[in-house]
């Protein structure tokens, strides 16, 4: 298996895992002070801007044939992670998780297409399916929270 594919799988798995463990800003047991919370939000907003620029750059390089769709999808997934951290309501998180599900499905289709063309492995397909299921579980949990509160 080539190094790029392994790196892509690792990065994708990392970001999906982050989606599953990230809650809204300030939702951990140790609540930050108002000043710290404000600085965290500002940093998240800066990261959101940087990632939105990355999505634009990756999309353009994909159009020019310099990178593949997978890098665009991964950049979009990173942006969604930040947006998920900035989300303050169940409705926002549900919408973001639904978008994340679409991206996870895209990555799964990419893995399947690579396997069919001889450039991917069954392990990559299974990994992408596992990642999609993690996001789906988080989405179901978020919908339950909305219904309960």
């Amino acid at each position: 298996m080539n190094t790029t594919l392994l790196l892509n799988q690792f990065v994708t798995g990392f970001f999906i895992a982050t989606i599953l463990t990230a809650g809204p800003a300030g939702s951990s047991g140790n609540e930050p002070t108002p000043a710290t919370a404000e600085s965290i939000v500002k940093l998240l907003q800066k990261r959101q801007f940087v990632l939105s620029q990355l999505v634009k750059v990756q999309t353009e390089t994909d159009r020019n044939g310099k990178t593949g769709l997978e890098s665009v999808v991964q950049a979009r997934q990173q942006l969604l992670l930040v947006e998920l951290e900035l989300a303050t309501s169940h409705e926002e998180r549900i919408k973001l998780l639904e978008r994340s599900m679409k991206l996870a499905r895209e990555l799964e289709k990419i893995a399947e297409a690579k396997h069919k063309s001889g450039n991917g492995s069954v392990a990559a397909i299974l990994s992408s399916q596992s990642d999609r299921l993690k996001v789906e579980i988080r989405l179901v949990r978020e919908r339950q929270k909305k219904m309960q509160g």
Side-chain angles (χ1 to χ4, degrees):
M1 189 177 289
N2 72 34
T3 307
T4 304
L5 181 58
L6 286 173
L7 181 60
N8 285 341
Q9 288 174 345
F10 171 77
V11 170
T12 302
F14 173 78
F15 290 119
I16 298 293
T18 305
I19 283 177
L20 297 174
T21 58
S27 67
S28 66
N30 301 329
E31 296 299 320
T33 64
T36 303
E38 185 177 318
S39 67
I40 290 170
V41 169
K42 285 182 182 180
L43 288 169
L44 285 168
Q45 289 169 338
K46 285 179 184 180
R47 184 163 188 249
Q48 181 182 24
F49 175 77
V50 169
L51 287 169
S52 69
Q53 297 304 305
L54 177 62
V55 168
K56 289 177 186 177
V57 169
Q58 291 288 54
T59 301
E60 188 60 33
T61 56
D62 178 55
R63 285 187 189 131
N64 295 332
K66 295 179 182 175
T67 63
L69 180 61
E70 189 173 19
S71 62
V72 176
V73 174
Q74 288 174 348
R76 288 170 50 200
Q77 193 73 296
Q78 288 181 54
L79 179 58
L80 277 173
L81 288 173
V82 173
E83 292 172 344
L84 190 59
E85 284 191 68
L86 288 167
T88 57
S89 70
H90 291 296
E91 291 82 13
E92 286 178 271
R93 286 188 291 278
I94 288 169
K95 285 179 186 177
L96 291 167
L97 287 166
E98 287 171 345
R99 285 178 39 207
S100 185
M101 276 291 299
K102 289 179 185 177
L103 292 175
R105 285 187 182 118
E106 284 182 48
L107 286 170
E108 190 174 345
K109 288 178 185 176
I110 290 169
E112 290 170 354
K114 282 185 172 185
H115 180 261
K116 286 180 184 174
S117 70
N119 295 323
S121 67
V122 173
I125 295 171
L126 294 172
S127 178
S128 63
Q129 288 173 342
S130 174
D131 292 341
R132 176 189 45 83
L133 289 167
K134 287 179 190 177
V135 175
E136 193 168 352
I137 291 164
R138 173 76 191 266
L139 178 59
V140 169
R141 287 181 176 155
E142 194 64 41
R143 285 178 175 155
Q144 286 176 334
K145 289 178 188 176
K146 181 183 175 190
M147 290 173 54
Q148 293 172 352

